[in-house]
């Protein structure tokens, strides 16, 4: 089969021909039809310090995908050959305290598909059956391929009730844009999104943001508040850039008692104004992955009930490439002048 792999410990990837993976008793084997690119894949391709510490060599990468089940292990009951599925990318241990308490997204032994073990940029991927999310016929392949980032957005955006709340989202990458669509769907009053890219901000606007702020042009969240007639600050903040400056400006524009969910991964430790956080009684919460599998239920339910959300979620995909054109797909993702980039493996 074709597989996009890191063959040696260094920058680069190669599309190579390798044997198909075998399916264990508790696994499912999936014919990959679509796979989304994410920032993680760029890190793995570049083989930076983090990637070198995380990945195996040789290894197939890719963790956002949709496909058809072609084989199930002897012990598998709830997934059948022919099912159309996406994969939850975090494989959990099932035995740590959090796993046993049902908090699988907090597993201390999480292994990442396409990060710490062979992934989905290939014709076939094998994952534990418990990681397969079976879709109904209403989920088309492209939409199925972005359930992983849509799940990040959903898990972050729905940390707290947003009905009637004023929400600020810093970062209009694919996940920030999806989060804008979700808080809009979930009943937020005002939604403001900041980024440095006009193209990305136009996607955020199309997804439901009332006002977008290009901080690269010197526009500010305070100006956005003024435009919207806000006087007390945002109630909810969703940090989806990983940029220290973004969190700083967010914290400076929150109401007392505001709640902030942090998904964006900073490159390095950075200082924040703790006095501000404390005296304004702000809650900060780190978010990783998706809740297994409550987030997946929520995504399916929201998409089934809201044509607007479906349209917004699908329109975050701006580029599609055949698997052979993977280098163009990586280049498009690297440029930042894109929404979600999807590879077609069918
Ligand atoms: P992305 O890198 O495509 O988007 C980040 C966006 O932030 C970019 O568009 C960038 O222009 C913007 N940005 C940079 N500086 C900014 C600033 N000062 N103010 C506002 N925006 C600014 O990433 P993505 O795929 O949308 O993911 C969002 C973030 O979440 C990334 O940091 C990613 O690493 C992280 N992530 C975390 C998890 C998790 O489980 N915690 C999962 C997936 C992604
Ligand atoms: Zn565990």
């Amino acid at each position: 089969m074709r597989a996009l792999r890191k063959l040696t410990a260094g920058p680069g990837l190669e599309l190579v021909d390798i044997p198909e993976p075998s399916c264990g008793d508790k696994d499912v084997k999936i014919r990959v039809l679509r796979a989304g690119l994410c920032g993680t894949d760029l890190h793995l391709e570049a083989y930076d310090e983090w990637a070198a510490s995380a990945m195996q060599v040789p290894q197939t990468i890719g963790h956002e995908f949709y496909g058809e089940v072609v084989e199930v292990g002897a012990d598998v009951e709830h997934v059948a050959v022919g099912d159309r599925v996406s994969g939850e990318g975090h494989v959990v241990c099932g035995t740590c305290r959090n796993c046993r308490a049902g908090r699988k997204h907090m597993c201390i032994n999480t292994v990442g598909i396409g990060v710490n073990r062979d992934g989905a940029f290939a014709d076939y991927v094998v994952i534990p059956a418990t990681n397969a999310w079976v879709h109904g016929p209403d989920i088309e392949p492209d939409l199925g391929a972005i359930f992983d980032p849509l799940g990040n957005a959903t898990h972050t955006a729905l940390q707290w009730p947003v009905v009637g709340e004023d929400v600020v989202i810093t970062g209009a990458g694919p996940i920030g844009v999806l989060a804008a669509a979700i808080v809009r769907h979930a009943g937020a009053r005002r939604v403001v999104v900041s980024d440095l890219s006009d193209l990305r901000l136009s996607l955020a606007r199309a997804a439901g943001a009332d006002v977008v702020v290009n901080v690269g042009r010197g526009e500010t969240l305070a100006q956005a508040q003024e435009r919207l007639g806000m006087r007390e600050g945002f109630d909810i903040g969703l940090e989806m850039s990983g940029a220290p400056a973004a969190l700083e400006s967010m914290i400076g524009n929150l109401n007392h008692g505001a709640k902030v969910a942090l998904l964006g991964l900073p490159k390095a430790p950075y200082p924040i104004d703790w006095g501000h956080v404390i005296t304004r009684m702000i809650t900060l919460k780190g978010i990783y992955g998706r809740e297994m599998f409550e987030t997946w239920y929520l995504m399916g339910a929201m998409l089934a009930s809201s044509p607007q959300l479906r349209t917004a979620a699908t329109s975050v995909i701006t580029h599609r490439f055949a698997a052979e054109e993977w280098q163009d797909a990586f280049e498009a993702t690297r440029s930042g002048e894109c929404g979600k980039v999807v590879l077609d493996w069918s």
Side-chain angles (χ1 to χ4, degrees), residues 169-179 193-195 200-201 203-204 240-241 316 336 338-340:
I169 301 171
T170 48
I175 300 179
V177 171
L178 290 167
V193 181
S194 68
D195 201 285
R200 291 190 153 195
L201 289 170
L203 293 173
M240 304 203 144
S241 73
V316 83
C338 60
K340 183 53 79 178

Side-chain angles (χ1 to χ4, degrees), residues 138-221:
D138 56 318
I139 300 299
E140 57 271 14
D142 280 354
L143 188 53
I146 62 166
F147 259 55
D148 172 304
L150 182 64
N152 295 135
T154 301
H155 184 29
T156 313
L158 301 184
Q159 277 304 309
W160 294 287
V162 293
V163 178
E165 304 286 35
D166 295 334
V167 180
V168 57
I169 301 171
T170 48
I175 300 179
V177 171
L178 290 167
I182 291 160
V183 294
R184 175 55 74 212
H185 170 78
R189 179 167 65 165
R190 288 154 181 145
V191 181
V192 173
V193 181
S194 68
D195 201 285
L196 307 168
S197 153
D198 283 332
L199 182 137
R200 291 190 153 195
L201 289 170
S202 71
L203 293 173
R205 190 112 173 93
D210 297 300
V211 172
V212 295
V213 176
N214 189 326
V215 292
R217 294 181 196 283
E219 296 167 12
T220 65
L221 296 181

Side-chain angles (χ1 to χ4, degrees), residues 93-94 96 99 107-108:
C93 74
C96 73
C99 279
C107 174
I108 55 163

Side-chain angles (χ1 to χ4, degrees), residues 4-15 37-52 55-57 59-62 114-115 121 326-331 333-334:
L4 188 57
R5 283 168 77 78
K6 172 83 68 194
L7 295 180
T8 51
L13 294 168
E14 279 178 61
L15 187 63
L37 266 76
C38 122
T40 301
D41 302 315
L42 298 182
H43 289 289
L44 297 174
E45 192 266 343
Y47 207 67
D48 58 19
E49 205 178 316
W50 169 80
M55 75 186 305
Q56 316 290 314
V57 179
Q59 192 200 292
T60 305
I61 72 164
V115 178
F121 288 167
W326 66 271
Q327 277 160 319
D328 297 332
F330 273 72
E331 191 45 52
T333 308
R334 213 176 285 119

Side-chain angles (χ1 to χ4, degrees), residues 1 42 54 57 61 69 73 81 88 126 230-231 247-248 254 262-263 271 295 330 332 339:
M1 69 167 188
L42 298 182
V57 179
I61 72 164
V69 175
V81 169
E88 161 57 55
V126 165
M230 291 174 55
R231 285 199 229 121
L247 184 64
E248 186 186 341
L254 296 174
L262 297 126
L263 182 90
T295 303
F330 273 72

